[in-house]
Amino acid sequence: MPAVVIIGGQWGDEGKGRVVDFHARYCSLIARYSAGTNAGHTVINDLGKFALHLVPAGIFYGDKTCLIGNGVVIDPDKLLKEIAMLSERGVDTSNLLISDRAHVIMPWHQVIDSADEELRGSQAIGTTGTGTGPAFHDKVSRIGIRVADLINKDKFPERLEEVLNYKNKVIEKLYDRESLNFTSILEQYSALADRLRPYVTDTTSVVQESHERGEMILLEGAQGSLLDLDSGTYPYVTSSVPASVAAGAAIGIGLGPTAIERVVGVYKAYQTRVGYGAMPTELFDENAEKLREGGGGVAGTSEYGTTTGRARRCGWFDGVLAGYTSRLNGVTSVALTRLDSLTGFSSVKICVAYELNGKRVTALPAEVNEASNLVPIYEEMPGWSEDVSSVRNINDLPREAIQYVRRIEQLVGAPIDMISVGPERDQAIVTRDIFGGNL
Ligand code: IMP
C-alpha cells in the first residue's frame, strides 16, 4: 500500500486536521512529519471540538498507531498537556509514539523567538512565538537537543550543560537578555523526560515495518506550502526542516520517496493568512470581515488562529498560488474545505492571474513581498444563498457553487475528491474514494 501525504496548499489553516480525521479511518498508521507546536489543527467529531498542536489528528481512532516523526520539534510540556487534555476527554492516547530523533523545543527557543522578532522591527515575521523557528535553527546548526538526549538520564545533564553554555552566551552577549539557569532547567526537563519516556521509540523502524507489511500510512502535513522555506513567500515563512511540502514527508518520517504515491492537497475555498508577508488577494472591505466571522457557514467556524488566537487575514481564492502549490507538491487529489462559508455572497471571485508592471503573469514572483504593484486579475462569478451544510452529493449543490468548485479544480489541476460543507467529521461531499485503491 502506498503512503498518502496530506498537505496544505495555502498558508496553513486550510483544515488539514479535519481532512486527516476524516481519512484516518482507512489507514493503519497516522504520522506527523514536520513542524512543531506552531501548528494548530482543529478537529470536531463525536467526542467534541479539539485543538491539536503536536498529536496527529488520527488519535481519535483507538485502533490506529499515531506517531510523531523525526522531522518534528517537540515542546515536551505542551505535548504532555495535550496528551493529558485528550485523556481527560476520553481519547485513548496509548497508541501514541514519539520519535527518539525528533528535536526538543527548550526554554531558550522561546526567548530567542521573541528577541528575534523584536530585532527584526518593521520586518517582523509575526511568528507564533512558540520557539519552533529557533528550535529548527539549532537543529540545522547542530546544537539541538533530541528526544533521545532528553530521555537519557546519564547523558542529558552533560548535553544540557554544553548547549546551555553556548546558548547563554548568545542570549546575554548578542540579545542582551538574562541568562537561563542550568539547575532549574535540568530539574524541569528531567521530570518531563520521565513522563515522556514511555512514548518514545525508534519510529523510523515502526513506519518502515508498517510499510513493509503493506499497511496504509497517512502522513500529516503541518502549515501550508506557501510558508515553506524554499518555495514559500520568503522570508515570511516557517523554519521547518524538512519542508512542510509533500517531498519533506519522506525525509521527516524515514521512508523513501517512492513510498509516497498519493498527495492530498487541502485548499480552503477562499484565502487566509496569519502573520505578515504578501497576500495578493487580501481583502480589507466588508467581505473580509464577513469571511473572518465564518461567512455563511456554521456558527463558531470563524477565522481566528488555533495556536495564537490571532485574527486571520482573509481574501478571495488565489488560483495562481493554488496551481503553483499543486505542482510543488505533486497533488493527486484535492480536498476543498469550508465551501459553506461562501454561502450568502452575492458574487464570488477567483484570482486567475496577476498584473505586474503592465504584464499578465501566472507565476509567483520570488520578490512577491516587495511587489506592491502586483494586482490580482479576478474572474467574478455569481454567488449562492442556499445553506449547503447538509449536502452530501455534489449534484445537490447550488449550480453556482458547482461552477465555482469546477473552476478551482481547473486552476489547481487535480480532481476535487472531497468538499467540506461544515466542521463536523461527516459534513463532507466525497466525490471519489481516494482510498479505493484504483487511483
Ligand atoms: P513560526 O512557524 O512560529 O516561526 O511562524 C512563521 C510564520 O508561519 C508566521 O507567519 C506564522 O503565523 C506562520 N505559521 C506558523 N504555523 C502556522 C500554522 O499552523 N498555521 C498558519 N500559520 C502558521
Side-chain angles (χ1 to χ4, degrees):
M1 287 283 195
V4 178
V5 188
I6 294 188
I7 58 92
Q10 293 156 320
W11 279 288
D13 308 318
E14 299 90 353
K16 292 177 293 295
R18 70 102 67 223
V19 176
V20 171
D21 176 62
F22 186 85
H23 287 315
R25 69 186 87 180
Y26 304 104
C27 304
S28 305
L29 190 151
I30 299 102
R32 267 279 300 272
Y33 61 86
S34 187
T37 328
N38 53 352
H41 290 167
T42 305
V43 176
I44 301 175
N45 54 33
D46 44 9
L47 294 168
K49 181 173 178 179
F50 296 86
L52 301 176
H53 301 283
L54 283 163
V55 175
I59 197 71
F60 302 101
Y61 297 89
D63 57 334
K64 320 282 182 192
T65 302
C66 276
L67 180 156
I68 300 178
N70 308 344
V72 180
V73 294
I74 289 166
D75 181 324
D77 184 45
K78 289 194 180 143
L79 174 56
L80 286 162
K81 284 190 175 128
E82 201 168 307
I83 293 171
M85 175 275 291
L86 287 164
S87 304
E88 276 161 25
R89 295 181 61 190
V91 181
D92 177 11
T93 54
S94 59
N95 52 349
L96 179 69
L97 301 174
I98 300 168
S99 167
D100 47 6
R101 288 182 168 84
H103 278 244
V104 183
I105 300 181
M106 297 297 292
W108 49 87
H109 292 134
Q110 279 188 27
V111 174
I112 293 175
D113 205 344
S114 86
D116 273 342
E117 282 288 78
E118 213 176 291
L119 281 174
R120 287 184 194 113
S122 65
Q123 304 299 305
I125 291 167
T127 72
T128 56
T130 50
T132 304
F136 279 113
H137 302 179
D138 281 0
K139 172 178 171 177
V140 176
S141 303
R142 294 161 291 180
I143 190 82
I145 292 183
R146 299 185 306 166
V147 170
D149 306 320
L150 175 73
I151 62 162
N152 186 327
K153 277 188 180 158
D154 299 330
K155 300 261 175 65
F156 179 59
E158 198 186 314
R159 180 70 181 151
L160 178 64
E161 193 173 16
E162 280 165 15
V163 177
L164 189 60
N165 280 342
Y166 176 113
K167 285 287 152 185
N168 269 341
K169 281 195 186 117
V170 174
I171 287 172
E172 276 182 295
K173 301 213 161 89
L174 232 61
Y175 290 101
D176 198 19
R177 303 238 169 163
E178 240 173 77
S179 60
L180 302 173
N181 180 274
F182 171 78
T183 314
S184 63
I185 297 178
L186 180 64
E187 276 172 18
Q188 187 195 354
Y189 279 73
S190 298
L192 292 169
D194 288 341
R195 293 168 55 209
L196 214 56
R197 200 171 286 109
Y199 297 98
V200 178
T201 191
D202 168 15
T203 58
T204 307
S205 298
V206 174
V207 174
Q208 290 174 352
E209 283 160 17
S210 168
H211 183 56
E212 273 159 29
R213 284 195 297 274
E215 293 170 358
M216 184 69 88
I217 295 172
L218 199 157
L219 302 175
E220 175 182 330
Q223 283 100 38
S225 310
L226 295 168
L227 287 171
D228 179 61
L229 205 47
D230 289 284
S231 313
T233 47
Y234 191 89
Y236 301 96
V237 294
T238 187
S239 299
S240 306
V241 179
S244 320
V245 291
I251 301 169
I253 209 66
L255 282 173
T258 47
I260 298 168
E261 252 179 46
R262 299 175 195 173
V263 178
V264 179
V266 185
Y267 291 82
K268 201 182 279 188
Y270 49 95
Q271 213 75 19
T272 62
R273 174 165 203 174
V274 281
Y276 307 120
M279 181 175 172
T281 62
E282 182 169 11
L283 293 168
F284 300 95
D285 58 8
E286 68 280 6
N287 286 328
E289 204 45 45
K290 193 166 166 182
L291 286 171
R292 191 168 302 114
E293 298 311 322
V298 178
T301 57
S302 50
E303 293 290 359
Y304 293 88
T306 310
T307 302
T308 59
R310 289 181 291 180
R312 294 179 185 142
R313 300 155 64 191
C314 297
W316 295 122
F317 188 87
D318 191 327
V320 176
L321 296 182
Y324 172 68
T325 60
S326 169
R327 294 186 291 276
L328 206 61
N329 286 284
V331 167
T332 57
S333 168
V334 174
L336 188 70
T337 58
R338 290 199 172 207
L339 186 67
D340 52 310
S341 297
L342 288 181
T343 289
F345 287 84
S346 56
S347 68
V348 282
K349 291 185 186 177
I350 298 179
C351 169
V352 294
Y354 307 125
E355 192 189 298
L356 183 62
N357 302 327
K359 288 206 181 105
R360 185 184 168 99
V361 294
T362 50
L364 176 69
E367 291 175 321
V368 64
N369 296 303
E370 290 76 38
S372 53
N373 52 346
L374 190 76
V375 183
I377 300 173
Y378 289 113
E379 277 177 15
E380 188 163 2
M381 300 176 165
W384 59 94
S385 55
E386 296 88 336
D387 174 8
V388 295
S389 60
S390 51
V391 174
R392 297 292 175 268
N393 183 316
I394 189 160
N395 297 320
D396 295 333
L397 282 174
R399 193 168 38 87
E400 296 82 1
I402 296 178
Q403 192 189 350
Y404 183 75
V405 168
R406 292 300 176 216
R407 185 66 182 118
I408 287 181
E409 191 166 52
Q410 281 171 351
L411 292 163
V412 177
I416 295 180
D417 296 321
M418 176 186 176
I419 302 166
S420 82
V421 288
E424 307 273 341
R425 184 181 274 172
D426 289 310
Q427 282 185 301
I429 299 168
V430 178
T431 54
R432 196 167 64 136
D433 171 15
I434 64 159
F435 288 93
N438 56 351
L439 297 184

